[in-house]
Amino acid sequence: MNIMNNGRLGFDELDELVRPAPEVVEFEEVANKMVSRRGFLGGGAAVGAGAFVMGSTTLAAGKALAAGATESRLAFSMVKANSLDTVTVPEGYKWEVVASWGDPLFSNAPAFDATTGGTGASQELAFGDHNDGMAFFSKDGKQIMAINNEYTNEKTLHANRGDGMPATADDVRKNKAAHGVSIIEVAQRGGKWGIVLDSPYNRRITADTAMDITGPARGHKWMQTSEDPKGLVAKGTWNNCGNGQTPWGTYLTCEENFNGYFTANDKDYKMPEAFKRYGMSTEGRYNWAMADDRFNLVKEPNEPNRFGYIVEIDPLDPTSRPKKRTALGRFKHENAELTIAANGHVVVYLGDDERGEFLYRFISKHKYLAGGNNRDLLEEGTLYVAKFHDNNRGEWLALTPKTTGMTDAEISIHTRMAASKVGATTMDRPEWVAAHPHKAEVYCSLTNNKNRGVKPNAGGDATPAGGPNPRVKNNFGQIVRWMPMDSDHTHNEFKWDLFVLAGNPAVYDDANAGSKNVNQDNMFNSPDGLKFDSKGLLWIQTDGNYSNEKGFQGQGNNQMLVADPETGEIRRFLVGPKESEITGSAWNAERTTMFIGVQHPGEEGHSHWPDGGQSVPRSSVIAISREDGAVIG
């Protein structure tokens, strides 16, 4: 098997290639617990030993809105699903490209070269590839964006190579430089948004940028390498997926599928069990080890332990060094949703985006002080993992030496194993988490899980259907919602329900049709990005099946929708170009412009977005505004 020849496969698919899980023998028993659509529409149906209950607002939405009993807060005409190679927005809105892969950040950088994909030197001075999570910052009238660059399109980045894979040391340098984070100043000039060349805030944070290791794992023997024998400074960040933002003005970037970058070039190499749990392979996806020994597991066996963390960055201080916050655990981080609890503690909700993995919460040891020095609040605290019960109750289980039999450092490095030890609930790929801005209510997109009820997770934990993961072989995904007891984000108990169950009512009449607030006009699959606006409306982005065939007929390209949590109403706001994912969102200070990411257009070779014609497809950040200049969200 050659992973590098499977570059267009998703990271989950690559994990399954290198680590196939055994079949579960009790499939028929689990399948019998499947919930029918009739049960959903009736307000609840038996699931295992408990009962599955949709949220009351969701169940009431369709009937109330149809009867005109509730005035919709979604004041735009819904966009129709389509498979066009462009961005479609509602009437009265417009969009424009702000930054695309390869755009120079400095005047001394060469223009984008579509023929070769550029060089290592040019990429270090340019906007990275496959932009994902993002956040907006302001200082002294300047507008600065921090934007993740998750991974790369090898066929375009290495267009000078026949197979699109790195073949020289400079190819590896370019590939590493296309990963990480792009920090850019943006401005409107002549009515158009764009990068401010040579801004002192412009910088690239890449797979080679030095970063302080903080928290329980700092200095631990598992973090020590030949280049960093004390285990204090890691080099680089990559596969940066979702993000977070702190009230003290820093950016949180999240390392997700870090495992696919390492290689073991010795046939006698034996993969440690801990590495297997995190999806390590003897073959790297990008062949970085050919030019950098730290990606060779034989030479640097501890290097992978230094990745899979939340990295805190100060985008307003170009001289600052990023910090890896190991207290928030090591796993495939999707995003980091930070809120301040009523008692002053910082609470961060975190999803581990792999089939059958877990949902986490971090509570800071110290309290947030408005106007005070809060810079190290993410260095110390307690990590928890979620346990959902079928009776719509749940609890947060503390991951401590007492509950796990592991040290604090071991918990922070081998977080998945700690969560398995306490019996946490295996989830359908927990992705973005979003906390309601006006009340203690939190949402998490469970994007899909074809292995639900069929295979255990990578640690051997069972994945039965039930609770917030009700469907066997879940191809459509759902959004779970929970409410902390006493409206206290630090409380260890919560109530939960499902806000929406995605599906296709045009094809199915069972649970795969989705919940009542899904219909043939607004249907979608694989909810991924989640973000609340200032009005308490929930923006939902998808990263799923865009084939528009079979069970996905009529759903078209990936999209962005808006939901009203009070009524359950959902409308499609945007459709992306062919073969793209819609991800990341941010607003300018005036909230007159919404920025979102369009990632990997044409990942299967059928898009020429954004420039059209026969041009090379390029991941890009776009700006959306109303033609009348009014506020969005």
Side-chain angles (χ1 to χ4, degrees):
M1 158 188 46
N2 190 332
I3 290 178
M4 289 184 290
N5 289 336
N6 290 282
R8 286 194 178 124
L9 288 177
F11 283 92
D12 280 322
E13 284 73 20
L14 286 174
D15 282 347
E16 290 196 342
L17 279 177
V18 302
R19 187 193 57 208
E23 295 289 332
V24 173
V25 296
E26 64 269 21
F27 173 75
E28 290 186 4
E29 175 187 346
V30 174
N32 288 334
K33 297 179 181 178
M34 184 114 164
V35 182
S36 70
R37 176 167 172 82
R38 182 176 181 182
F40 283 124
L41 298 185
V47 182
F52 171 77
V53 181
M54 294 295 294
S56 58
T57 55
T58 301
L59 291 171
K63 187 177 296 184
L65 290 170
T70 304
E71 182 179 351
S72 175
R73 292 200 297 158
L74 309 183
F76 61 89
S77 298
M78 182 158 54
V79 170
K80 293 182 178 180
N82 65 69
S83 296
L84 302 175
D85 195 25
T86 188
V87 173
T88 308
V89 294
E91 182 179 355
Y93 290 79
K94 60 183 179 179
W95 66 273
E96 60 183 302
V97 174
V98 179
S100 297
W101 160 61
D103 283 351
L105 306 187
F106 305 95
S107 56
N108 65 338
F112 171 70
D113 186 341
T115 303
T116 66
T119 66
S122 69
Q123 183 58 69
E124 289 168 352
L125 300 174
F127 190 75
D129 201 3
H130 279 29
N131 46 272
D132 204 293
M134 63 184 75
F136 206 92
F137 300 83
S138 300
K139 183 178 182 180
D140 299 329
K142 306 290 187 180
Q143 302 176 94
I144 296 96
M145 295 187 72
I147 304 165
N148 289 348
N149 298 115
E150 187 175 5
Y151 61 113
T152 64
N153 183 332
E154 302 93 295
K155 295 294 185 182
T156 54
L157 183 70
H158 302 292
N160 54 326
R161 305 296 174 203
D163 61 359
M165 294 307 300
T168 68
D170 191 67
D171 289 344
V172 173
R173 176 184 174 185
K174 176 171 66 172
N175 201 297
K176 290 195 293 182
H179 285 69
V181 179
S182 295
I183 298 176
I184 57 174
E185 182 184 344
V186 297
Q188 269 187 308
R189 294 172 175 171
K192 297 286 187 181
W193 285 97
I195 298 171
V196 177
L197 287 177
D198 301 318
S199 166
Y201 297 104
N202 291 354
R203 65 168 163 158
R204 287 299 323 284
I205 294 170
T206 73
D208 286 325
T209 303
M211 304 186 175
D212 290 329
I213 299 171
T214 78
R218 179 176 171 84
H220 191 272
K221 63 180 180 181
W222 292 344
M223 304 291 277
Q224 298 169 1
T225 66
S226 59
E227 189 174 337
D228 178 32
K230 294 184 178 180
L232 304 179
V233 181
K235 187 189 247 187
T237 185
W238 55 83
N239 216 274
N240 305 81
C241 190
N243 69 284
Q245 193 167 4
T246 73
W248 51 90
T250 58
Y251 181 72
L252 305 178
T253 186
C254 307
E255 298 176 341
E256 190 186 15
N257 295 289
F258 65 91
N259 55 300
Y261 294 76
F262 297 92
T263 298
N265 58 358
D266 184 340
K267 62 181 178 62
D268 296 323
Y269 175 79
K270 293 184 179 180
M271 188 71 65
E273 287 300 317
F275 282 8
K276 293 179 182 178
R277 180 65 192 272
Y278 282 90
M280 296 294 171
S281 167
T282 56
E283 291 190 50
R285 180 167 179 151
Y286 297 113
N287 201 24
W288 288 1
M290 68 171 289
D292 192 334
D293 282 347
R294 62 196 178 99
F295 296 95
N296 186 331
L297 294 173
V298 177
K299 295 183 177 180
E300 292 293 352
N302 283 340
E303 189 72 16
N305 294 327
R306 295 147 66 86
F307 302 91
Y309 299 102
I310 301 296
V311 181
E312 186 171 9
I313 300 169
D314 185 347
L316 303 180
D317 180 3
T319 66
S320 63
R321 178 181 282 183
K323 299 180 183 298
K324 296 213 174 190
R325 299 302 193 184
T326 70
L328 277 68
R330 174 173 168 264
F331 42 87
K332 294 184 178 181
H333 285 282
E334 183 69 18
N335 81 318
E337 180 70 342
L338 188 150
T339 188
I340 305 298
N343 60 13
H345 288 280
V346 173
V347 177
V348 187
Y349 292 104
L350 310 151
D352 185 353
D353 182 12
E354 187 173 315
R355 297 181 183 106
E357 289 298 337
F358 307 113
L359 179 65
Y360 297 87
R361 177 188 70 169
F362 169 85
I363 300 179
S364 65
K365 178 179 179 180
H366 303 289
K367 294 183 179 182
Y368 171 76
L369 180 62
N373 183 2
N374 301 293
R375 290 291 169 141
D376 291 321
L377 283 179
L378 302 183
E379 188 163 348
E380 295 180 271
T382 302
L383 198 60
Y384 298 77
V385 66
K387 177 76 172 180
F388 289 83
H389 302 291
D390 284 345
N391 64 355
N392 295 94
R393 296 297 182 103
E395 58 190 305
W396 292 103
L397 307 175
L399 300 180
T400 66
K402 182 178 180 179
T403 63
T404 65
M406 302 165 66
T407 67
D408 288 330
E410 290 169 344
I411 292 168
S412 68
I413 298 171
H414 292 160
T415 311
R416 284 182 170 179
M417 288 77 111
S420 290
K421 286 190 174 187
V422 299
T425 299
T426 57
M427 306 293 284
D428 286 349
R429 290 184 58 194
E431 298 223 35
W432 288 68
V433 183
H436 199 292
H438 306 310
K439 57 183 176 180
E441 191 171 278
V442 192
Y443 295 67
C444 178
S445 55
L446 305 174
T447 195
N448 57 54
N449 184 0
K450 68 181 182 181
N451 294 340
R452 172 62 60 183
V454 180
K455 297 179 180 180
N457 71 4
D461 301 316
T463 62
N469 312 281
R471 292 181 293 195
V472 172
K473 296 184 177 180
N474 177 17
N475 288 319
F476 291 97
Q478 63 268 8
I479 296 176
V480 64
R481 164 174 59 188
W482 66 92
M483 292 67 70
M485 300 298 287
D486 299 330
S487 297
D488 178 5
H489 283 287
T490 64
H491 201 292
N492 286 340
E493 297 181 2
F494 57 87
K495 297 179 180 179
W496 69 268
D497 62 22
L498 287 182
F499 174 67
V500 63
L501 197 73
N504 190 333
V507 176
Y508 298 99
D509 60 4
D510 59 10
N512 287 318
S515 49
K516 177 167 279 189
N517 52 345
V518 171
N519 55 57
Q520 293 190 34
D521 292 325
N522 72 357
M523 61 182 178
F524 61 98
N525 74 85
S526 302
D528 188 341
L530 292 181
K531 187 78 171 182
F532 272 103
D533 65 23
S534 60
K535 297 177 181 177
L537 297 178
L538 182 64
W539 296 74
I540 305 168
Q541 299 171 319
T542 72
D543 176 23
N545 190 307
Y546 46 71
S547 67
N548 207 33
E549 297 176 350
K550 299 180 180 179
F552 304 97
Q553 180 66 42
Q555 297 193 332
N557 295 342
N558 277 307
Q559 55 192 276
M560 181 164 68
L561 310 101
V562 190
D564 185 346
E566 302 306 312
T567 66
E569 182 189 10
I570 300 173
R571 290 187 188 180
R572 184 183 300 107
F573 178 84
L574 174 149
V575 178
K578 289 182 178 180
E579 299 165 359
S580 68
E581 167 189 353
I582 305 303
T583 186
S585 57
W587 285 263
N588 66 337
E590 297 77 21
R591 303 191 78 81
T592 54
T593 304
M594 182 181 190
F595 299 86
I596 69 162
V598 178
Q599 189 189 95
H600 61 68
E603 67 175 346
E604 296 181 30
H606 301 113
S607 174
H608 298 284
W609 187 87
D611 298 322
Q614 295 302 307
S615 63
V616 170
R618 300 163 72 190
S619 294
S620 303
V621 174
I622 66 172
I624 301 169
S625 58
R626 288 176 49 145
E627 292 178 351
D628 62 6
V631 169
I632 302 177

